[in-house]
Amino acid sequence: MRSLDNEGSMKSALSLARSESSNTFGSDEIILEKYIKQPRHVEIQIFGDGSGRAVSLGERDCSLQRRHQKLIEESPSPVLAAPTRDAMCEKAVSLAQNLNYRGSGTVEYLFRPNNGEYFFIEMNTRIQVEHPVTEVRFGIDLVEAQMKVAMGHSLSDVFQHLYPKGHAIEFRINAEDSADNFRPSPGRINDWSIPKMSGVRCDCAVYQGYEVPPYYDSLIAKVVIHAPSRPEVLE
């Protein structure tokens, strides 16, 4: 990706982007888009049954990122007014309905807090890393729901109630060296202690003595906090 502030830098940026795209993907095709400065990244969790019916399970705010990788996700978004939230969810559901989409999906937007504008980015046709944020608010196992939808169950059977409760934030725990510009830090985990508190969920596959390999993403755990309000979650 290249951001341009003026027309004069376009020629060199186009050349670099085409070269990188060709070397990485075997194609020099690129897309020109309007650059949205300091947006919020807001995504809508949806499910469709493949027959034109779809539901929304609210939004997740994934604006805290590093190098375009999400670090902290929360629901509901602290910056969305109710009418905007409803409109974004409605459009996400409409998209899934018109596609006869089946399964779990995430419709993603860029949101401008200063004027309430939002722009479609993409739709991810899968369960996302941050899905536990939605799970703890709605009290629904989204992976189980995805399996049931795939087996032909109706949405009304899978989602008998859609009543979100409280606030939830997920913190991604990465094997990185914070003293060295957050470079990946593979190696042995000598000490590992999972927080055991009410309202705290830890999803992980590592343990004391585990060897973090150098070949994959540095994410090793997800800590999800759920409480009645955002201040309580942060506390």
Side-chain angles (χ1 to χ4, degrees), residues 183-203:
R183 289 174 63 88
S185 181
R188 180 181 295 273
I189 296 178
N190 295 317
D191 191 27
W192 182 256
S193 178
I194 296 176
K196 296 178 180 179
M197 303 166 58
S198 176
V200 177
R201 165 178 164 177
C202 185
D203 289 5

Side-chain angles (χ1 to χ4, degrees), residues 89-222:
C89 288
E90 183 180 334
K91 285 181 170 60
V93 167
S94 177
L95 173 64
Q97 290 173 333
N98 283 292
L99 291 172
N100 288 326
Y101 183 74
R102 183 181 183 187
S104 167
T106 308
V107 179
E108 306 202 359
Y109 299 95
L110 291 180
F111 172 71
R112 276 179 164 169
N114 62 329
N115 61 12
E117 285 185 308
Y118 53 93
F119 305 85
F120 172 78
I121 310 175
E122 63 179 354
M123 180 176 178
N124 277 306
T125 54
R126 55 180 171 82
I127 288 283
Q128 300 248 91
V129 172
E130 58 273 17
H131 76 274
V133 172
T134 301
E135 287 189 335
V136 298
R137 284 196 70 219
F138 282 83
I140 295 173
D141 185 325
L142 296 187
V143 177
E144 179 185 359
Q146 182 174 246
M147 297 292 187
K148 287 182 175 179
V149 169
M151 292 167 64
H153 290 256
S154 69
L155 295 180
S156 58
D157 287 340
V158 176
F159 304 108
Q160 297 180 10
H161 62 86
L162 287 176
Y163 305 115
K165 295 181 180 179
H167 199 97
I169 300 181
E170 174 180 291
F171 300 87
R172 299 193 186 195
I173 311 302
N174 299 296
E176 297 174 329
D177 187 350
S178 59
D180 190 14
N181 197 30
F182 295 97
R183 289 174 63 88
S185 181
R188 180 181 295 273
I189 296 178
N190 295 317
D191 191 27
W192 182 256
S193 178
I194 296 176
K196 296 178 180 179
M197 303 166 58
S198 176
V200 177
R201 165 178 164 177
C202 185
D203 289 5
C204 67
V206 300
Y207 47 84
Q208 191 164 314
Y210 178 84
E211 289 279 351
V212 178
Y215 311 111
Y216 308 105
D217 190 283
S218 60
L219 177 68
I220 60 173
K222 301 182 290 186

